[in-house]
Amino acid sequence: MKIEWLVHQLQPFIERGWFSSIAATGITVSLMSDLFNNHPALMIGTLNLTSMHLSLMAVHVAYLGNIIGSDIGSLLMPIGLLATLIWMFVLKQYKVHISWGQYLRVTTLVIPPTVIATIVLCYAWIHLIYG
């Protein structure tokens, strides 16, 4: 994935305002985290933001979306976090088997609304503090 392509895709959302910035970066990093793990996705998101030549405040606000996507959005799929894979392995050793299907049935109901609610609350918090 080229950073330039991602910059081109996200730049209009980030320039639109704080809510759009948090939402765009949060959702994008969530999807990337679920595809190939949260730490590489967070690094790509950070490189993306630093390549946009934004104001310091715009970078800070957009970076909050990166954190939300990396920390919460990565829970959607078991491969999003190494800790989830380890947790599933340890449970299996104690004869508690959770299949990927069972995991996905729960997380598809819980994680998307949690990411959206966190994005909205983060925007409200920033708006309250910085107006």
Side-chain angles (χ1 to χ4, degrees):
M1 175 184 306
K2 288 190 172 187
I3 295 295
E4 294 83 21
W5 180 83
L6 197 55
V7 167
H8 180 70
Q9 299 302 313
L10 288 178
Q11 185 102 28
F13 295 102
I14 291 176
E15 291 173 349
R16 197 172 293 156
W18 289 353
F19 181 78
S20 176
S21 178
I22 296 169
T25 57
I27 291 168
T28 301
V29 172
S30 290
L31 295 174
M32 289 191 305
S33 293
D34 289 320
L35 291 176
F36 50 83
N37 197 281
N38 66 329
H39 288 291
L42 184 63
M43 286 188 259
I44 290 170
T46 301
L47 286 172
N48 182 44
L49 291 175
T50 57
S51 298
M52 288 188 190
H53 309 293
L54 301 168
S55 70
L56 188 59
M57 186 63 183
V59 171
H60 286 190
V61 169
Y63 195 74
L64 289 172
N66 271 356
I67 295 169
I68 291 167
S70 173
D71 290 348
I72 300 171
S74 60
L75 294 168
L76 186 61
M77 304 250 319
I79 60 172
L81 285 172
L82 179 59
T84 303
L85 294 173
I86 293 170
W87 173 74
M88 290 175 84
F89 175 76
V90 169
L91 286 177
K92 191 183 244 184
Q93 288 182 325
Y94 288 96
K95 309 287 189 260
V96 177
H97 179 70
I98 298 175
S99 71
W100 279 41
Q102 291 170 317
Y103 183 89
L104 288 172
R105 276 192 289 279
V106 173
T107 59
T108 54
L109 293 174
V110 174
I111 300 304
T114 303
V115 169
I116 292 167
T118 306
I119 287 168
V120 169
L121 290 170
C122 183
Y123 170 73
W125 177 68
I126 290 171
H127 191 68
L128 181 68
I129 292 174
Y130 296 105

